């Protein structure tokens, strides 16, 4: 539905002045206002509970209703000659009452019926401003330069929005100044300035990742083994298990040095689109920068087992920061038709490549503690990283400065009017950061613990946990096979979609071998029962016409708890229904 108004107004003149051009009225100029919207209800169920931690620090997401969101989305567009403006906003009712802390909360509508406002876009733009061929856009916006289907390693200007896994690839708008200069009809140069950094938006299940302290974050495997052994000794010998106390993201200061910017040159060569880009900014996924451990005394016992007791807790307070990085991008997309010689009517095969060379700034972590009074007293201060008896030393790295690559290589094909198929090789997901793959060795710890029967006290006192610990490792950058197909039916009104993501990344089990007197590794195939991890996404959608769509489906996330998609922080498997009316 549209509303059109013909007039020269103060609003139009103000818009022109804001964009730095003198307001020029023409007899054929008119102000056009177009508005649209949608009403959408999402109901989702978690099939099984997912959680981490023992009874004294259990974090769990229950089975049952996972989401009950109702959204009113509105979008207004204004056009006046060569000027354009957009405002889009979502009003969201979460459907979940917030936690009540007093009877007075029962009188507060914002507690019983939580709601929020989510701006999607607020910007103004002008074509041919100052000089011919120069376009300018200022305001809250999303700049998407990537060509991959939902997987875009060169889209770094906007933070990722992972709150809804069904909308994977979505990004949050950010304030930007974007300029495009058209050299010719086919080639353009773009520049973007982002004054304020924004972090990625994480799902509610995201906090479960940091609660798993056995996933030690250090680049050095030897230091990780030592910390695992010391934590095990504190728990087993002195009754003080280690848990997460608090997690605090530390945002970059709004200084000139922390502004993000990017450049791109893009054009067409034959029937192929090509783009080169450069980004200077930060990863929007935080990395640990400091850990501070404090002690909470007090005996407590498991409500389900009176013999399972602890004497206190070691609480670790974590600060997170966002490492800086440079990203050099290459995008190529187009179509090839090897069957053209057979018939002109046979469709070509679409292809797309999106690659990013990431040059990160290394980030270390500082470990400190209060005075810890149990067994062997630990004085307050900084951790002895060098294990030489003297506190301090060089802070260990959680990310080194080795460059690494992410990419997406995809092919797609349409069979007639009813079937579309898509296949992709994805190297590195949005939350994976740092060098480590089949090109260069580098791992993250997915699970760690003690070897049964090991002398944990000796390992803790010697400050060497190599002979006491075992762990499951995963390359920092994974490889994924993405396969999908859309099947349309009922005169294009019905759609059945089936997509799957197979984690093709081999895991490594590392442990101590007494006979060899050293640590040994065993590869775990991604096709084995131990290493298998996969996402299966079936969806059935029907468009009834006049704006009404109904959909139902499932997001099945499979694998062991230490795998990519079987881990608790993914939120587990869900089924969903969706109703949407667009106007």
């Amino acid at each position: 539905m549209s509303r059109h108004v013909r007039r020269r107004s103060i609003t139009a003149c103000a818009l022109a002045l804001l964009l730095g051009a003198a307001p020029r009225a023409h007899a054929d100029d008119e102000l056009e206002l177009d508005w649209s919207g949608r009403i959408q209800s999402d109901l989702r169920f978690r099939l099984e509970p997912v959680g981490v931690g023992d009874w004294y620090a259990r974090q769990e997401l229950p089975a049952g209703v996972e989401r009950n969101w109702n959204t009113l989305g509105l979008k207004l567009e204004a056009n006046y000659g060569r000027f354009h403006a957009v405002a889009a906003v979502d009003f969201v009712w979460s459907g979940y009452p917030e936690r009540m802390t007093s009877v007075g909360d029962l009188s507060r509508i914002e507690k019983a019926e939580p709601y929020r406002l989510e701006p999607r876009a607020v910007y103004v733009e002008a074509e041919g401003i100052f000089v011919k061929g120069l376009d300018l856009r200022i305001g809250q916006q999303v700049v998407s330069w990537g060509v991959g289907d939902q997987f875009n390693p060169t889209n770094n200007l906007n933070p990722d929005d992972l709150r809804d896994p069904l909308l994977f690839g979505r990004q949050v708008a950010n304030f930007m100044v974007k300029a495009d200069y058209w050299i010719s009809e086919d080639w353009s140069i773009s520049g973007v300035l982002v004054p304020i950094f924004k972090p990625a938006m994480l799902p509610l299940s995201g906090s479960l990742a940091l609660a798993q302290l056995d996933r030690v974050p250090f680049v050095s495997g030897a230091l990780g083994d030592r910390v695992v052994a010391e934590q095990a000794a504190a728990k087993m010998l002195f009754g003080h298990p280690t848990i997460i106390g608090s997690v605090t993201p530390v945002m970059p200061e709004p200084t000139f040095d922390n502004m993000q910017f990017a450049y791109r040159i893009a054009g067409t060569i034959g029937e192929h689109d090509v783009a080169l880009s450069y980004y200077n900014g930060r990863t929007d996924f935080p990395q640990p920068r400091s850990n501070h451990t404090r002690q909470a005394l007090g005996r407590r016992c498991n409500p389900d087992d009176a013999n399972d007791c602890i004497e206190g807790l070691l609480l670790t307070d974590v600060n997170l920061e966002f490492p800086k990085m440079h990203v050099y991008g290459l995008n190529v997309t187009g179509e090839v038709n090897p069957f053209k010689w057979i018939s002109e009517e046979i469709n070509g095969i679409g292809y797309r490549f999106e690659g990013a060379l990431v040059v990160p700034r290394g980030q270390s972590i500082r470990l400190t503690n209060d005075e810890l009074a149990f067994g062997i007293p630990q004085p307050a201060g900084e951790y002895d990283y060098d294990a030489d008896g003297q506190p301090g030393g060089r802070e260990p790295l959680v990310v080194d400065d080795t460059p690494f690559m992410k990419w997406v290589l995809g092919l797609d094909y349409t069979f007639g009017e009813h079937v579309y198929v898509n296949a992709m090789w994805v190297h590195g997901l949005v939350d994976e950061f740092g060098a480590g793959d089949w090109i260069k060795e580098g791992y993250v710890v997915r699970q760690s613990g003690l070897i049964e029967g090991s002398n944990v006290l000796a390992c803790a006192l010697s400050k060497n946990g190599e002979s006491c610990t075992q762990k499951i490792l995963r390359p920092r950058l994974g490889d994924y096979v993405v396969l999908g197909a859309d099947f349309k039916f009922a005169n294009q009104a019905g759609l059945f979609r089936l997509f799957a993501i197979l984690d093709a990344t081999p895991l490594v089990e590392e442990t101590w071998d007494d006979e060899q007197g050293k640590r040994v590794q065993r590869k775990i195939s991604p096709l084995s029962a131990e290493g298998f991890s996969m996402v299966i996404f079936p969806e059935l959608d029907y468009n009834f016409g006049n704006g009404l769509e109904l959909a139902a489906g499932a997001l099945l996330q499979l694998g062991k708890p230490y795998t990519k998609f079987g881990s608790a922080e993914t939120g587990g498997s869900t089924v969903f229904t969706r109703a949407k009316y667009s106007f």
Side-chain angles (χ1 to χ4, degrees), residues 138-270:
I138 302 174
Q140 203 83 359
Q141 57 187 293
V142 174
V143 175
S144 297
W145 285 346
V147 296
D149 187 0
Q150 308 303 314
F151 301 90
N152 304 112
T154 63
N155 278 356
N156 296 291
L157 286 162
N158 294 94
D160 294 288
D161 187 351
L162 302 182
R163 292 173 298 167
D164 188 347
L166 301 185
L167 298 177
F168 184 83
R170 186 176 185 176
Q171 293 190 305
V172 180
N174 200 357
F175 183 89
M176 303 181 189
V177 179
K178 177 176 179 285
D180 300 298
Y181 180 70
W182 291 89
I183 305 171
S184 67
E185 291 184 358
D186 296 327
W187 287 89
S188 66
I189 299 174
S190 302
V192 182
L193 175 67
V194 186
I196 303 294
F197 172 83
K198 283 187 177 180
M201 301 294 294
L202 303 181
L204 291 176
S205 57
S207 61
L208 300 182
L210 287 171
Q212 302 176 69
L213 284 175
D214 63 331
R215 297 184 180 180
V216 287
F218 315 112
V219 171
S220 167
L223 180 60
D225 295 332
R226 175 185 163 195
V227 170
V228 169
E230 290 173 346
Q231 290 179 351
K235 177 182 178 181
M236 296 172 58
L237 303 179
F238 308 114
H240 278 72
T242 302
I243 67 170
I244 287 291
S246 65
V247 179
T248 305
V250 180
M251 298 296 295
E253 295 290 335
T255 62
F256 290 115
D257 185 54
N258 286 327
M259 288 185 178
Q260 305 164 82
F261 58 89
Y263 308 106
R264 183 184 72 152
I265 181 170
T268 301
I269 301 177

Side-chain angles (χ1 to χ4, degrees), residues 197-200 210 246-254 258 282-291 317-324 363-364:
F197 172 83
K198 283 187 177 180
L210 287 171
S246 65
V247 179
T248 305
V250 180
M251 298 296 295
E253 295 290 335
N258 286 327
R282 297 174 181 267
T283 172
D284 55 359
F285 284 85
Q287 303 290 330
R289 178 63 187 92
S290 66
N291 279 15
D317 299 323
V318 184
N319 282 348
L320 306 175
E321 291 186 2
F322 303 84
K324 286 189 173 183
Q363 179 164 305
S364 62

Side-chain angles (χ1 to χ4, degrees), residues 80-115:
Y80 184 79
R82 59 199 177 101
F83 305 124
H84 180 62
V86 173
V89 65
D90 284 353
F91 298 89
V92 183
W93 288 263
S94 70
Y96 269 117
E98 291 186 358
R99 184 172 178 266
M100 305 291 183
T101 58
S102 68
V103 69
D105 288 342
L106 298 177
S107 302
R108 300 175 59 186
I109 188 65
E110 66 271 20
K111 286 280 189 178
E113 293 285 348
Y115 57 88

Side-chain angles (χ1 to χ4, degrees), residues 512-520:
W512 177 262
D513 187 290
D514 281 329
E515 293 185 0
Q516 300 185 48
K518 64 178 183 179
R519 294 187 71 82
V520 295

Side-chain angles (χ1 to χ4, degrees), residues 255-316:
T255 62
F256 290 115
D257 185 54
N258 286 327
M259 288 185 178
Q260 305 164 82
F261 58 89
Y263 308 106
R264 183 184 72 152
I265 181 170
T268 301
I269 301 177
E271 296 182 356
H272 308 276
D273 296 328
V274 180
L276 294 171
S277 62
Y278 168 73
Y279 166 80
N280 186 321
R282 297 174 181 267
T283 172
D284 55 359
F285 284 85
Q287 303 290 330
R289 178 63 187 92
S290 66
N291 279 15
H292 182 78
T293 302
R294 50 192 171 87
Q295 187 175 21
L297 296 172
R299 182 178 175 83
R300 63 198 77 181
C301 297
N302 187 343
D304 299 324
D305 183 359
N307 296 318
D308 182 10
C309 300
I310 60 175
E311 302 301 321
L313 292 170
L314 297 179
L315 302 172
T316 298

